[in-house]
Amino acid sequence: MDIAGSTPARLTVASHCAHGEGVLWCERRQALLWVDIDGSRLWLHVPTDGATRSWALPDRPGCIGLAGSGELLLVLAKALYRANLDAAAAGDAPLALVHLADVEPHEGRTRSNDGRADRHGNFVFGTMDESEDKSAIGAFYQYSARHGLRMLDLPRAAIPNSICFSPDGRTLYWCDSLQPRILCCDYEPGAARVGASREFARVDLPGAAADGSTIDTEGCLWNAQWGGSRVVRYRPDGGVDRIVPVPVPQPSCCAIGGAGLDTLFVITSPQGMDAASRAQAPESGSLFEAPLGRALGLPEARVVLP
């Protein structure tokens, strides 16, 4: 166990997002993608040459998925879209979007939040309560080209996060960030069916909350912990294996990428921080990285789009 000796994350891109989230690695583009929820932007960074770009979006994005076609699945606050990133990246054109499905159009209190492609061509995401009450009214959905949106029979959540899948795609991990634990359940992608949820791991740092996660080649789960200034690697049995310090208080999501699939990338957020806290952590909202010492990254699963 390498808890004390982990290399702290260092600044990669000073993106200064209003609310950075949803980072993932695209091995085809050799690039990182993430969203700024409150800033309504999509970001792209290529580590090999340092090129960084961003695009304005018509609404706040919750998360993104890579499509097998090379396009993106873009999950905005109240709708899903197909996005032609390659065409936009080739010039100065805006990001062209094609509407796919509405999300809870008659529920004004919710917006889309965390999500990730499963390993069978579908995309799973959750909706969260935006009101001050933060009630457990959020739901979990699977999107597929064949069936569109199907609700998953998971417990309702106030702030759904940590959505990711085991290497074989048969276990779904998730959490409600208001609870100090990460859950998991059996997952049948074809039927959009889930088993009973069970506790996978507990967040043991007071004031920290489980946020976005990713799974590595060894079946370990890496979780960015909001308010904890850290990313924690949990073994498949839920035990803590490694803690990577992050020099800002609110890591929000993580991904493993780089040419050797051996680098941990962490996006962060200043959302809710007061002026004094922002002054102490001025790079909040930026992208950070830490070397892992060996190839642990799994290629990101891809969504089949209609």
Side-chain angles (χ1 to χ4, degrees):
M1 187 162 62
D2 186 19
I3 293 179
S6 294
T7 302
R10 63 175 179 83
L11 182 66
T12 305
V13 179
S15 51
H16 297 125
C17 294
H19 183 24
E21 265 286 8
V23 67
L24 54 79
W25 173 255
C26 177
E27 81 281 359
R28 294 183 189 175
R29 296 181 176 91
Q30 289 290 291
L32 291 145
L33 293 159
W34 68 95
V35 296
D36 181 351
I37 296 178
D38 291 347
S40 297
R41 298 194 75 84
L42 170 71
W43 283 79
L44 179 146
H45 171 70
V46 182
T48 52
D49 62 10
T52 303
R53 293 189 61 183
S54 67
W55 293 267
L57 300 172
D59 199 354
R60 292 168 299 161
C63 52
I64 51 178
L66 303 175
S69 61
E71 295 176 300
L72 294 183
L73 175 65
L74 186 59
V75 182
L76 299 188
K78 302 299 284 186
L80 276 63
Y81 293 86
R82 182 170 63 229
N84 191 335
L85 179 61
D86 290 340
D92 294 324
L95 199 61
L97 304 182
V98 176
H99 178 269
L100 297 173
D102 290 325
V103 179
E104 298 181 355
H106 304 299
E107 175 53 83
R109 295 172 294 173
T110 63
R111 69 160 172 83
S112 302
N113 198 49
D114 185 57
R116 187 172 292 272
D118 70 14
R119 306 201 187 280
H120 300 85
N122 315 298
F123 194 85
V124 172
F125 69 99
T127 59
M128 65 169 281
D129 182 8
E130 287 206 283
S131 70
E132 292 185 6
D133 293 341
K134 290 294 181 287
S135 301
I137 61 172
F140 294 83
Y141 297 89
Q142 182 208 71
Y143 174 79
S144 69
R146 180 177 181 182
H147 299 286
L149 280 183
R150 292 187 288 183
M151 185 180 292
L152 297 176
D153 189 20
L154 288 170
R156 292 279 181 155
I159 308 176
N161 267 312
S162 199
I163 296 172
C164 58
F165 297 87
S166 59
D168 67 3
R170 297 295 176 175
T171 301
L172 164 62
Y173 297 87
W174 67 279
C175 79
D176 183 338
S177 290
L178 295 189
Q179 305 295 325
R181 60 181 184 168
I182 300 170
L183 303 171
C184 66
C185 62
D186 296 339
Y187 175 66
E188 297 180 33
R193 185 179 297 125
V194 294
S197 293
R198 55 194 183 271
E199 184 171 296
F200 166 69
R202 293 194 72 84
V203 178
D204 60 1
L205 180 66
D211 207 321
S213 293
T214 191
I215 296 287
D216 68 21
T217 57
E218 298 175 354
C220 294
L221 182 147
W222 297 76
N223 178 246
Q225 299 197 342
W226 183 279
S229 299
R230 66 182 195 171
V231 174
V232 180
R233 186 192 196 219
Y234 294 98
R235 298 187 299 271
D237 64 4
V240 175
D241 174 76
R242 184 185 300 192
I243 296 175
V244 178
V246 180
V248 294
Q250 295 178 170
S252 53
C253 193
C254 56
I256 301 174
L261 294 175
D262 57 0
T263 303
L264 178 72
F265 293 96
V266 187
I267 191 61
T268 64
S269 172
Q271 187 187 59
M273 293 170 58
D274 59 25
S277 298
R278 291 187 183 220
Q280 291 178 353
E283 297 301 341
S284 292
S286 296
L287 183 74
F288 295 80
E289 67 179 87
L292 298 180
R294 65 187 194 278
L296 287 173
L298 280 172
E300 188 73 21
R302 292 182 179 264
V303 186
V304 176
L305 294 180

